[in-house]
């Protein structure tokens, strides 16, 4: 009788499950992955991050400018304090100005203008320099004229400021090329506002370039890094006009500047007008940082996507497995019902026939009795299998191990089948080694395993009817072999036939009654005895099941899979 394995309902359920899995899980996951990848690609680099860093840089530059100005003002004020009164005579002024120069090596020129005279002093050791000497001469000439004409206005303007100091900046020449200078002009502290007296100092260009700026910038950068950590920063200051297009050449820079464009820049005002401050990360740029971020995000997203995909594949696998098991279970119910119905129908039929008293010959009667006995034996075997199986499933199956003459056990079990085997036209070959030591086994369980194997050999044979049973010792194990020349088992089924409910897909198998429980019981029994079950089979040629039992049984109670 052919049994339908996969009904319409089974197929429909599977379809519905796949549809649910597809719509509810795979689609959203795929959409999520797709949207994330697209967004990341469109990002190029993180704009928000970039804006935050730039704002932070702007702030740092503003603070640095303030500090630089403060220091320059303080230095100028210190010098201003030392300025002579304009009312002393010329040689006295010179002396006092020279004293200021001696005390402040960071100055190149100091000068004092009043209504009567203009005194200009320059660092004596710098006067050897041709450029400085020329500068001195130029200043001596032009400043006098300048202050004479504009001094009054200048002084009035300065008196209105909270700090009466003006800074003038510009380029000048030095032996090693262009240099940047700043000159501070101020009114003297003790004088009233109607006196046109102007004092002034010019910062040494070398001092600015080699000491003042490097120290100020380094201080800013180190302070920031020790306060907040993170990527090390670099700062520099450069003449503003160089900003146009080509890469700015620093006037002074911190150690880590190396080269490259500033990330953010700020034009200086007041004291150092004409210079620009620049800042960047050491050895990297915000863009590169952003790119690293994007790459890392891509990597993480890729990894998570793989995990999602892996999870989905795993889920599908588990669900398919569960569904296959559910299908096997439903097959099992219908298989068992058929297996129960057929022998019951036969028993009823033959018993009724006998009851009617129509059978006259003794021989015929004997034949009917035998059929009834055989069918009821089959029923018992099936029910025993089911009961054993349910005990195992519930974890209640217990084995009773006793030292047993296993040769005698096998011989006895086969004996009760001999008639049936030969009746069905099987060539029966038996090879039992009688000199085996006693083995600790559960008699009933081992007999049931053997009966299941023999029954399978009988069930799954077609034309070449052969049954071979061998019992022998190999080292420390006893081996029980059951071989047939039957239909064999396809390679893909070999690993599954020991699973509960599993029956091979072969139509020949499905025309044969069975519950799919036999071999799973055999395996459970063997494992409980600390043994192994193995199968070799060639489709169309036959199969050989080998049950190995250790001589000293390592008894255990495995769970059924
Ligand atoms: P059942 O015989 O009740 O179907 P079993 O657990 O005993 O269940 O066997 C599982 C499956 O293994 C069978 O359905 C059959 O496909 C295959 N099988 C078992 N023994 C043999 C054999 N001797 N020859 C060929 N196939 C076999």
């Amino acid at each position: 009788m052919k049994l339908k394995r996969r009904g319409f309902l089974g197929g429909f359920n599977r379809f519905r499950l796949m549809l649910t899995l597809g719509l509810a899980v795979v689609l959203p996951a795929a959409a999520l992955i797709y949207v994330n990848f697209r967004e990341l690609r469109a990002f190029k680099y993180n704009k928000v991050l970039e804006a935050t860093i730039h704002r932070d840089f702007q702030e740092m530059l503003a603070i640095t400018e303030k500090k630089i100005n403060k220091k320059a003002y303080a230095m100028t004020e210190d010098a201003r304090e030392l300025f002579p009164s304009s009312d002393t005579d010329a040689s006295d002024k010179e002396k006092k100005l020279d004293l200021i120069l001696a005390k402040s090596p960071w100055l190149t020129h100091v000068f004092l203008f009043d209504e009567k005279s203009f005194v200009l002093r320059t660092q004596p050791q710098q006067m050897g320099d041709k450029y400085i000497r020329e500068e001195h001469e130029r200043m001596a000439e032009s400043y006098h004229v300048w202050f004479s004409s504009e001094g009054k206005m200048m002084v009035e303007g300065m008196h209105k400021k909270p700090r009466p100091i003006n800074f003038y900046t510009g380029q000048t020449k030095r032996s090693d090329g262009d240099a940047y200078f700043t000159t501070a002009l101020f009114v003297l502290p003790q004088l009233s506002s109607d006196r046109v007296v102007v004092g002034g100092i010019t910062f040494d260009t070398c001092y600015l370039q080699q000491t003042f700026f490097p120290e100020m910038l380094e201080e800013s950068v180190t302070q920031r890094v020790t306060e907040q950590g993170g990527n090390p920063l670099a700062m520099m200051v450069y003449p503003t006009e160089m900003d146009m297009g080509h890469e700015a050449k620093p006037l002074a820079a911190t150690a880590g500047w190396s080269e490259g464009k500033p990330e953010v820049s700020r034009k200086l005002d007041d004291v150092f007008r004409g210079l620009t401050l620049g800042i960047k990360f050491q050895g990297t740029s915000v863009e590169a940082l952003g790119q690293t971020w994007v790459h890392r995000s891509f990597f993480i997203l890729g990894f998570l996507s793989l995990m999602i995909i892996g999870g989905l594949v795993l889920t599908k696998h588990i669900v398919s497995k569960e569904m296959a098991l559910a299908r096997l279970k439903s097959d099992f119910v219908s298989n068992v019902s058929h297996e129960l119905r057929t022998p019951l129908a036969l028993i009823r039929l033959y018993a009724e026939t006998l009851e009617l008293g129509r059978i006259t010959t003794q021989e015929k009667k004997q034949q009917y009795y035998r059929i009834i006995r055989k069918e009821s034996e089959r029923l018992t075997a099936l029910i025993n299998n089911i009961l054993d199986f349910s005990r195992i499933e519930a974890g209640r199956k217990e084995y009773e191990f006793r030292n047993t003459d296993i040769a005698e056990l096998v011989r006895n079990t086969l004996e009760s089948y001999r008639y049936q085997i030969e009746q069905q036209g099987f060539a029966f070959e038996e090879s039992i080694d009688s000199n085996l030591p006693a083995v600790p086994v559960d008699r009933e369980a081992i007999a049931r395993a053997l009966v299941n194997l023999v029954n399978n050999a009988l069930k799954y044979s077609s034309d070449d009817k052969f049954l071979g049973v061998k019992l022998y010792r190999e080292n420390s194990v006893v081996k029980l072999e059951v071989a047939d020349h039957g239909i064999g088992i396809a390679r893909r089924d070999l690993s599954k036939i020991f699973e509960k409910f599993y029956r091979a897909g072969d139509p020949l198998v499905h025309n044969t009654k069975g519950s799919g429980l036999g071999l799973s019981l055999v395996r459970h029994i063997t494992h409980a005895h600390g043994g192994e079950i193995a199968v070799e089979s060639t489709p169309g040629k036959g199969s050989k099941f080998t049950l190995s039992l250790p001589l000293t049984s390592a008894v255990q109670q495995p769970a059924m899979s």
Side-chain angles (χ1 to χ4, degrees), residues 456 459-460 484 488-489 497 502-504 509 514-516 518-519 543 545:
N456 279 350
K459 275 198 301 190
Y460 302 115
D484 62 57
I489 302 159
I497 52 172
Y502 190 83
R503 309 198 72 215
V509 171
S515 59
L519 285 182
S543 319
F545 287 85

Side-chain angles (χ1 to χ4, degrees), residues 219-286:
E219 188 188 304
S220 260
V221 164
T222 349
Q223 187 187 358
R224 157 59 182 258
V225 170
T226 39
E227 267 171 17
Q228 296 180 9
N231 274 311
L233 298 173
M235 264 196 200
M236 68 125 148
V237 59
Y238 59 98
T240 304
E241 68 270 20
M242 291 183 80
D243 200 7
M244 319 277 200
H246 51 297
E247 200 168 286
K249 187 175 166 293
L251 183 72
T254 56
W257 184 271
S258 60
E259 55 184 13
K261 278 175 67 160
E263 199 74 59
V264 172
S265 58
R266 179 185 175 92
K267 284 197 174 111
L268 295 183
D269 204 9
D270 196 7
V271 186
F272 295 107
R273 192 174 298 118
L275 290 185
T276 299
L277 270 182
I279 186 168
K280 68 174 182 118
F281 283 122
Q282 261 184 47
T284 179
S285 65
V286 175

